[in-house]
Each structure stands twice: as structure tokens, then as C-alpha cells.
Amino acid sequence: MPFWLWLILGLVLLAGELLTPGGFFIVFFGVGALVVGLLGLAGVVMPLWLQGVAFSAVSVLALLLFRKPLLGRFSPPPARKVDPLVGEEAVTLEEIGAGRLGKVELRGTPWNARATNGRALAKGVRVRVERVEGLTVFVGRAE
């Protein structure tokens, strides 16, 4: 196969990688085709079967060596949990009746709160966050 066909195939494969949602697979086959094309351009004469072997070997080797580092470099960082509030201590800003919504001060900010044990909590009592659902913290008496 003429070198220029390998070069065109390599460019088409590289463009295909740009047009597909990432995974970094096609780019390595494009690199393999470009390497075989550049070898032909440099005057290295190979039979068609050897061109196919060189294309396959360079593509797979590049895939094995460079895919993981590229994914690490261009992928978004993994989602991490927001700063957990469970276990933090808060102070009630008002009386929180059993099964009713009230307010606590947690990290200097007022939060909606519910008592977890079903008993009322007086104003100014230290409580501990047991769970969080949306913007409401469920609190129990701190010991």
C-alpha cells in the first residue's frame, strides 16, 4: 500500500478520535498508520503484510503505553464527597419540637434541623449531627 494512503488513514483516524466522545482508542491506531506512512515516505520498503504487522504492533504498543497516562491527564478528577457534616457538633438556636423543623448553628451558619430521637431540644443545647438530607441536618443530643 502506498505511503500516502497510510498517512491519509492516520489523519482520518486522528480526526475520528476528535469527533467521538473520548476514550483514547482511535488515536493510537491513527499514530500506527502515520508511523507506517512515515516509514514509507522515508524510503523503507515493506511488503503489505509487514506494513500490517508494523501498523498493528505500533498501535497496540502505543495503546498499552500511553492510554492510561492520557486518560489521567485529560479526564476530569473523580467526584469526591462534599465535606461531611456527620459527627460535627452544633448548637440549637431555638427550641426544636419533636418532629418539627428548627434551627441550629453549625460552623457559624444557621441550618434547618430536626431532632432524631423524637424528643424536643431546648435552645442553646449542644447537639451532634447524625445525618444530612439536602439542607436539613438531623441532630441528637451531644454527650
Side-chain angles (χ1 to χ4, degrees):
M1 192 154 94
F3 73 89
W4 56 270
L5 281 177
W6 283 109
L7 293 176
I8 290 172
L9 177 64
L11 293 175
V12 167
L13 289 171
L14 290 176
E17 181 69 51
L18 293 174
L19 297 174
T20 58
F24 289 117
F25 284 108
I26 303 172
V27 68
F28 300 110
F29 294 98
V31 167
L34 287 175
V35 166
V36 172
L38 290 173
L39 285 173
L41 183 63
V44 178
V45 179
M46 294 185 285
L48 184 58
W49 68 269
L50 189 55
Q51 291 177 12
V53 169
F55 166 72
S56 299
V58 169
S59 299
V60 170
L61 188 65
L63 180 75
L64 293 174
L65 290 176
F66 300 115
R67 182 171 184 266
K68 192 170 185 177
L70 280 175
L71 281 176
R73 178 146 176 104
F74 292 108
S75 295
R80 58 187 175 102
K81 285 189 168 184
V82 177
D83 188 16
L85 296 172
V86 175
E88 294 277 332
E89 284 194 5
V91 177
T92 56
L93 295 175
E94 57 189 38
E95 182 178 336
I96 302 174
R100 303 194 57 108
L101 195 61
K103 296 275 187 192
V104 295
E105 182 179 334
L106 176 63
R107 295 183 179 174
T109 306
W111 285 74
N112 292 329
R114 288 191 189 271
T116 56
N117 60 6
R119 294 173 40 200
L121 296 170
K123 179 180 178 181
V125 174
R126 286 197 159 293
V127 292
R128 186 172 310 277
V129 177
E130 295 180 2
R131 74 177 195 267
V132 180
E133 289 182 12
L135 295 176
T136 302
V137 292
F138 289 78
V139 295
R141 237 180 235 283
E143 316 222 351

